[in-house]
Amino acid sequence: MKKVTGLVAAVLSAVFLFTSNSQAADAKLGSTQVKAGTPITVSGTIEPGQELYVTVASEKMFAPQDAPGPKEKSRLTNGKNGKNAFGDTEIPASFYVVTSAPETLAAPKEVWKGQTKGLFAFPPFKYRVMVNKILSWEKIDPSLIPMLGPVSTEAQWKFVTFTHEKKFGINTVSKEPGKGGGNARMIMSDYTTTQERWNEGVAVELDKATGKFSVSMTPYKNLAPETKLAVYVNGDKVDTVTIEKSGFFFATGNVYMNPLVVFGGAFIIGMLFVIMGAAGGLFTAAFQITVVGTKGPIGINAGNTIKPTNLFLTMCSPITGLMTFVKEKRFAYPVAIPFAIGIVAGAFFIGPPLSAKYLNLAAFKFYLGIICLVIGIKLFTESLPSAIAKKKAMQAIVKKFNAAVKEAKESGKAMEMGKVEFEKFNFLKFNISFWGETFVARPLMMLVGGVLMGIIASAFGVGGGFMFMPFMTTLVGYPMYLAVPIALAGTFATSIGAVAKYTMLGYQPDWVMAALIAAGAMLGGIVGPKIQKMLPEIFLKRMLALALILTCLKYADLLWFLR
């Protein structure tokens, strides 16, 4: 009986093996070396009458514990509020299925996108868009599971679905932004047959009668050099594609970009910063998101790479000016020290950890847009005749003060006049004498204000100058010549505290990109004043206001054609 059973098992195994081999795909790649951003092509023959499933997946697997960012690691491992917890499940960081029967794995569906919850969860911040909704595991025909290459379990399917459909997942694992405001590409078909945005650039030809097929699709354009992608045809591994470098690759930023573009963009931002007097960090953040496309390493949300890279600029920019003010005895330290202490405390202990956990790229872009709107409106109001007249009066006071400084330096009285004098330190309020004027120092107010603004600035990866100046000139009542050096010290304090904390948390800046941005912006700051003299101030203010308002419209997804 045992011999008969063994013989039957052997026969069944042979039949199964023969059947499997008879159904094996005969396919080959157009090339096993492909430049990043160019198509992968595969052609051959499958069993006549079958549907075609070509799976392209990175060979290197990713598990939540591989995430270098601690907040991302916790979120992916344990989930949020008990949902989307993936434990030790491993998936390919990049995963695509190109098929002649996309309806077996996904279904086009109109869903709400944008601000679907929170303070702004209403139209036009919330809008409907067509997405290719990936089917749940239980709705997939079990016979199709072998077609999915390295993804073979329900846990893996849920994980790859999360990385392609959720804002946090898109920006943390696959890194590929959604098309048309919807989910990133995962299940795709021929564009000429189904003209949806997720199918753009995809070509599928299949003759069911003969089984002959050809497929062309382009994986994510910023895949790192030497990334290996396995290609499967109807479950059979055909070969492996190696991604070749396509231009200069910023390793930490995880993006291909010409370094001259980064330097040139930062140069323009440096000029704008001088003209505006603030918001250089906001422009740099928008530049990184929109032009450079900084992504960050696999397992780190893109926002947590953009912020520390951005802060390197705001750390370098104020150094020269701050040193000049200190050297010329124009730095009122009893006011500046508590302000800087508060900013460092907020920027080191509170801002970055909160930002890393709650301000992922999707949220970061939206609220950055809201800040750009506020500053854009402020710039426009500053271009009105009444504001121009008021500014000229303030400039006259600053000019008079600068003339007094120059005269004091020439006569040798600068050291004496630049002394900060006060009778007795009081944590709440005391009078100080500085350059012949008496001011009220409020250390506690400056400390508390510094903590709050340090939290906000470090969370958004900006210096905070757009908050510091209004706080000191409007709320505290300091003149410009007293407030400017303190604001520079505050910007430097924000950057030092935040960069240190982000780095300690595991969120490194892209140092090469940061150096290019800082160098370009500092050079732009030198050229800016010369450009400013040749252009009317009202025109400049309004053009910059328009640019900031358009940035808000884009980042808040209010421009449907830019979603």
Side-chain angles (χ1 to χ4, degrees):
M1 186 65 183
K2 288 183 179 180
K3 290 182 179 180
V4 173
T5 304
L7 181 61
V8 171
V11 170
L12 289 175
S13 298
V15 170
F16 177 78
L17 183 62
F18 175 78
T19 305
S20 298
N21 288 337
S22 68
Q23 294 178 346
D26 177 18
K28 65 177 181 178
L29 298 178
S31 175
T32 57
Q33 301 283 329
V34 173
K35 278 192 175 183
T38 58
I40 292 174
T41 59
V42 56
S43 59
T45 305
I46 59 173
E47 190 75 13
Q50 285 189 344
E51 298 290 356
L52 176 66
Y53 294 86
V54 175
T55 299
V56 180
S58 50
E59 285 202 327
K60 185 177 180 180
M61 302 294 275
F62 173 87
Q65 56 265 31
D66 298 328
K71 303 299 181 183
E72 290 86 348
K73 182 185 293 185
S74 175
R75 172 83 177 269
L76 291 171
T77 303
N78 305 314
K80 184 179 180 181
N81 300 325
K83 296 181 179 179
N84 300 320
F86 304 110
D88 57 359
T89 303
E90 287 190 327
I91 60 168
S94 298
F95 182 79
Y96 309 93
V97 180
V98 183
T99 174
S100 59
E103 69 281 357
T104 59
L105 297 174
K109 181 181 180 182
E110 193 176 52
V111 298
W112 286 106
K113 287 287 183 178
Q115 300 302 306
T116 55
K117 57 184 179 180
L119 183 63
F120 294 90
F122 57 87
F125 300 104
K126 184 174 77 168
Y127 52 88
R128 295 188 72 80
V129 66
M130 187 68 72
V131 301
N132 201 27
K133 187 69 178 174
I134 301 167
L135 298 182
S136 59
W137 184 257
E138 59 270 15
K139 292 183 179 179
I140 296 174
D141 189 326
S143 66
L144 297 181
I145 294 172
M147 309 293 184
L148 303 177
V151 175
S152 58
T153 68
E154 182 176 7
Q156 287 181 303
W157 186 254
K158 286 181 177 179
F159 198 179
V160 293
T161 300
F162 173 81
T163 67
H164 284 78
E165 289 191 344
K166 302 296 182 181
K167 291 179 180 179
F168 181 86
I170 287 171
N171 298 318
T172 305
V173 182
S174 71
K175 297 293 180 187
E176 187 167 1
K179 282 186 171 287
N183 53 289
R185 302 178 304 156
M186 179 171 148
I187 310 300
M188 296 175 284
S189 191
D190 184 62
Y191 181 71
T192 57
T193 303
T194 309
Q195 295 185 2
E196 297 287 359
R197 294 195 66 178
W198 54 82
N199 290 331
E200 287 180 2
V202 179
V204 179
E205 294 182 6
L206 172 65
D207 183 346
K208 281 193 176 182
T210 62
K212 288 186 177 180
F213 75 91
S214 66
V215 165
S216 175
M217 65 82 61
T218 305
Y220 183 43
K221 63 183 180 180
N222 286 315
L223 288 177
E226 302 304 316
T227 297
K228 294 188 181 300
L229 300 172
V231 179
Y232 301 81
V233 175
N234 283 16
D236 296 321
K237 185 175 179 180
V238 174
D239 210 333
T240 300
V241 174
T242 302
I243 299 297
E244 294 181 336
K245 184 181 292 189
S246 179
F248 186 87
F249 186 71
F250 289 94
T252 304
N254 206 14
V255 63
Y256 291 96
M257 178 58 63
N258 189 327
L260 292 177
V261 173
V262 178
F263 180 84
F267 175 78
I268 295 170
I269 290 167
M271 292 194 296
L272 295 177
F273 177 73
V274 170
I275 293 167
M276 292 175 58
L282 292 175
F283 271 119
T284 309
F287 174 65
Q288 278 201 75
I289 294 169
T290 305
V291 179
V292 179
T294 304
K295 297 299 176 190
I298 298 296
I300 286 184
N301 189 274
N304 292 331
T305 298
I306 291 170
K307 297 165 202 169
T309 302
N310 210 47
L311 284 160
F312 191 78
L313 163 67
T314 58
M315 182 172 65
C316 295
S317 296
I319 292 175
T320 304
L322 187 58
M323 288 176 64
T324 301
F325 283 123
V326 172
K327 184 178 179 181
E328 293 182 353
K329 299 291 182 180
R330 296 171 63 181
F331 189 66
Y333 65 86
V335 179
I337 289 175
F339 190 52
I341 290 172
I343 288 172
V344 169
F348 183 84
F349 293 104
I350 306 173
L354 285 178
S355 180
K357 185 175 182 179
Y358 296 109
L359 207 61
N360 61 38
L361 182 62
F364 177 61
K365 283 174 63 177
F366 179 79
Y367 289 107
L368 184 70
I370 298 299
I371 294 173
C372 285
L373 176 64
V374 171
I375 296 176
I377 293 171
K378 180 177 180 292
L379 273 177
F380 182 80
T381 59
E382 287 178 359
S383 71
L384 299 175
S386 58
I388 294 289
K390 183 179 178 182
K391 185 179 178 183
K392 285 181 178 177
M394 293 177 65
Q395 287 175 336
I397 295 172
V398 174
K399 188 175 180 180
K400 184 178 178 181
F401 174 76
N402 290 336
V405 172
K406 184 179 179 181
E407 183 182 344
K409 287 173 68 179
E410 291 173 350
S411 63
K413 295 181 180 179
M415 293 292 289
E416 181 182 344
M417 294 188 69
K419 289 181 180 178
V420 177
E421 297 180 348
F422 57 92
E423 291 184 3
K424 186 179 179 181
F425 179 85
N426 186 301
F427 203 57
L428 294 177
K429 182 173 71 172
F430 64 93
N431 292 332
I432 64 170
S433 296
F434 181 65
W435 281 95
E437 298 286 341
T438 300
F439 305 99
V440 178
R442 295 182 172 86
L444 182 59
M445 177 185 285
M446 296 295 285
L447 179 71
V448 173
V451 170
L452 295 176
M453 287 183 283
I455 293 170
I456 296 170
S458 61
F460 281 92
V462 296
F466 69 95
M467 296 182 291
F468 300 158
M469 291 304 294
F471 171 72
M472 284 186 286
T473 57
T474 304
L475 293 181
V476 186
Y478 292 146
M480 289 287 288
Y481 59 81
L482 183 68
V484 169
I486 300 170
L488 288 175
T491 300
F492 184 71
T494 301
S495 307
I496 287 289
V499 168
K501 188 63 175 181
Y502 276 118
T503 303
M504 289 173 64
L505 286 172
Y507 303 111
Q508 294 280 346
D510 189 302
W511 294 108
V512 177
M513 187 186 297
L516 286 167
I517 289 174
M522 292 172 78
L523 183 59
I526 295 171
V527 177
K530 300 175 183 178
I531 302 291
Q532 187 177 14
K533 293 176 183 178
M534 298 187 295
L535 295 172
E537 184 174 357
I538 292 177
F539 171 78
L540 285 172
K541 293 276 188 182
R542 291 184 179 179
M543 287 299 293
L544 292 172
L546 178 62
L548 286 166
I549 291 169
L550 286 175
T551 301
C552 169
L553 293 175
K554 177 174 173 56
Y555 288 173
D557 287 331
L558 298 178
L559 298 175
W560 68 95
F561 54 89
L562 289 178
R563 288 172 183 162

